[in-house]
Amino acid sequence: MKKSRVLAVIMAVLMMVTLLPSMVFATAAPSGTLDGKLKVKGTLAIGSTLSADYSKVKPEGITDDNVSFSWSLKDGDLLTEVGTDKTYKIDEKDLGLPIVLKITGKEETGVSGELTVTTQEVSETEEEAKALAEKKKEEAKAAGTSEEPDSAQPEETIEPAEETESADVQENTGTQGSTDEQESTDTQEPAENPVVEVNGNGEQSGSQNTDETDASGDSQTETPDSADTAADASEKNEEPTYSASAYTEDGSGILDFGSVEEGYTEIPEAQMVTITNSGTGDLNFKEIAPENFMAADIDDAPLKSGESVTVWVKPREGLKAGEYKDLITYQTEEGADVFFEADFTVKEPENKKVEDNENNEQTDPGETSDPATEKIYKLTANPTELPFDDLTAGYEKVETTSTVTIKNEGTEAVTLVQPESEFFDIAPVSEVESSGNIQLAQGGEQTFTVQPKLGLSAKDDPYVEELVFASDESTEASATVTASVMVKTETPKTVTATVKPEGPLSFGTLEQGYETAPDAQPVTVKNTGTEAIRIQLSVPEDYVVGEPSAEVLNPGDEAATFTVQPKTGLQAGDHSGLISVTDQNTGNALGEVRLEFTVSEPEPDPDPEPGLSVTDSLEFGTKEEGYKELPDEQTVTVTNTGNTKIVLKQPSSNAYTIGTLSATELEAGDNATFSIQPVSGLSQGEYLEDIVIANDANVEAYVNVHFSVTKKKADNGEKANNLTGIKKPSDIKDLPNGTQKTQKALKLPGTVKITTTKGEQKASVKWDVKGSSYDPSSAERQIFNVKGTVILPDGVKNPNKISTVIAVSITVNGYQGTEAAASDNKITGIDSNGKYDTNTKITFTAVGAGMDNTNPRKGDTRYQPKSWKITETRTWDGEPYTATFRVSKPGKYTLKVTFGQQKYDGSSWKDTGTQSESTVTFTVSQAAVLTATPSPAVTQTNQKSAVQTGDSTPIMTFVIILIVAVVCIGGILVYRKKKK
């Protein structure tokens, strides 16, 4: 007996062990909206790796597989995304900036919503990070904060989730609240003013049933989430809450506009409702347009916390006969909706009732009809049309469910027959009698849900079906509702992009030993598919490829840009390359860019080629013997036109005074000058001489000069009209670069003055413009002579054979360059009148004046974009001059771009030190809060597979133990029975 008891105890223990899997390991897979407190694990120092901490995140059991990640740097109000992996390694560029982690639930895993956390500033070393964390901890204690920050989360802010569940409000007040909601109210007194209030988390609070009101008039109801610990409540107080409440004038919560007859022309007087912001954050109300009532919009300004606003409501004109009980809902961008009921009855005219009675009497004149005993069967539907949103073939669930209310407007109770439908599922909102019949008393209503069936195939035209709600009592009592839905063909998923330029990027040819690489050129990638792409680039060995302006491109995003530039120091040869652009997610090839660049062999040093150019000739005119006034001295210019240095020797002459050379050693391109003037006391004769400029290169260089001295004649009566001299025209200077090579353009005079024995006269000149050395296409400064021949007028003789050849020196200025105007600097891609919110990624481009000058000449200027600033200054290293940013806080901001002036020196652009600034002011609004539709809970009526527990522990061992225990117990019982 004793042994059997011991054995029985052992068997009982084994049976209890087999029950452990169901009691310990049946943990449900996480599902629901993200809530609670998100943290960051890791040390906030350069080189450390950070990850998400879900220890205080709800629902429990969240892992990296349930969410997506966004790591950003917070620079004032500016958020710059730096990573989307589950971990983030801190870089040097992050120093001094807080890091923001945002996780978003993956709806396909059953998790929705968002959580955000902001860390302390990044430190250079782990010791500094720990010291900063201790400092933050002490500041928190000094401020009386109960929460202590962790090492990676000294300063955390949890932004409200962008997706919240919408409150489902129905007119049937008998089915408003569930048992769970009533238990969470902590037995509050009913409110005198019944108000339905929805807070910013999409939770419904307050009461809609007038039987549950309370004299306080306060409809606030504590939701289950508000019963958390004091520490969690402290955390939630750090973020704004969004809720609102409405109060009617009579405190009933219903606006009753009475009744009027159909065809009324006088609208009932408007009634007032007071709406109060009962949360801590500002509320921005959307426009409102009820179907049967008119209501004032709340659009003057955001409604501050604790503030109230009064709005008017009144029925619309021309409503048909019927009873109108509408739920007036004011929606906000933050998701805090508030609503109340408005009632209005439109009766049929009395004369119409009289006509109906007369018609009934005329139907059977032999009988006296009693209207009180006449049976009328009539059903109406509201609404009569149910159009559904378009669906895509292969859909697994329908997000939208519509409702239709069938009302018995006859005098008798009816048994409502629910229609059968081929394309739509129809079900009553509330349960009916067990037999399935739906009894509608006089004036009663029944609401049905209507939803397209699963599995409808795609076709060109919509599914349209008339749903007839009939009654068993009368064939005339029926109401028809037309339902329609369009099922479209599923759009195929594509991963494609365009990469431009399509042709090769050519960087030209440079000589080996070049120190400055060719300018970087941009490449753009545009997402042309239906899926997001993550850009991955292959980098050729001989090129430098910049980071793309955006790593991830969603369909419809602006094109991403990166730059390509050959490296310096490449050896002679062909350096063609290829950049392949692929999608990192799928490995699909998106495009490629061919690169062309050649490095040539260095040119050998050229052979010495000395050369000199000298002013062509000088004419000093004619003087009589005994002249006392010397002709004006003239200047001779000597230019080194070769490629090597030349040393000049001082020229000399007996008939002319030669000035000292301004320089004797001339490098290639340099010049020197000296003066020439006839000496005094020369006797009669022609002094035509070549003044030679000797040099060490033995280059022939001379200038031809002429001076004439005539014999002094005695006065023998009437003088002959003989030529005595020609006045040389003045030199022509400062002509603009590019002046045409014509007599008119060069401003050469058509006549000159000559002197004769009878005085001064004018004589025409024939200029040899074509024979001059002037080159109109040269950008350099040019000084040259144009020779001309004086044509003597009739009667003027030249017995002394004075030279009639003259020359004029002309100076054409060098090219001064094109001056770019600072006023032409622009900022594109951002508009002061544009609409931006805190979710918008803004991309702009700085366009400097003159940056499109692809063929510069010496002296040209341009303005190169250098830096940009909103809260902190960011710089550009080169093209493209674009940037992308996002502002997390609404407000008014100014973008400032600084441009630096550059000047082309003939080979490259050089900074001049002059700067210019351009600005654009823009406004950022708060992004709208999105509303998520909750997934239907799995019940025993729709569950098709086993519950996912999230535990992979094998239970076969426990099953075997259970079987062995049962067999042993059975053996003991048989043994005891036989023994007895």
Side-chain angles (χ1 to χ4, degrees), residues 35-42 50-57 69 71 86 101-103 115-119 147-158 235:
D35 196 0
K37 175 182 175 184
L38 175 65
K39 291 187 176 183
V40 173
K41 292 190 292 188
L50 305 181
S51 60
D53 181 358
Y54 309 111
S55 59
K56 293 189 177 181
V57 174
F69 303 84
W71 300 87
K86 62 184 178 181
L101 168 61
K102 180 173 74 174
I103 62 172
L115 285 180
T116 304
V117 60
T118 303
T119 72
E147 178 186 356
E148 295 185 2
D150 58 22
S151 60
Q153 176 58 13
E155 197 178 89
E156 80 183 9
T157 58
I158 304 175
E235 293 174 4

Side-chain angles (χ1 to χ4, degrees), residues 731-742 745-747 772-786 809-816:
D731 293 343
I732 301 171
K733 300 181 180 180
D734 296 328
L735 293 181
N737 186 269
T739 298
Q740 294 182 354
K741 194 174 182 178
T742 63
L746 294 174
K747 298 183 178 180
S772 67
S773 61
Y774 173 56
D775 181 9
S777 63
S778 174
E780 301 296 327
R781 184 172 183 265
Q782 299 181 71
I783 301 176
F784 56 94
N785 291 329
V786 179
S809 176
I810 300 176
T811 302
V812 176
N813 295 329
Y815 178 74
Q816 299 299 315

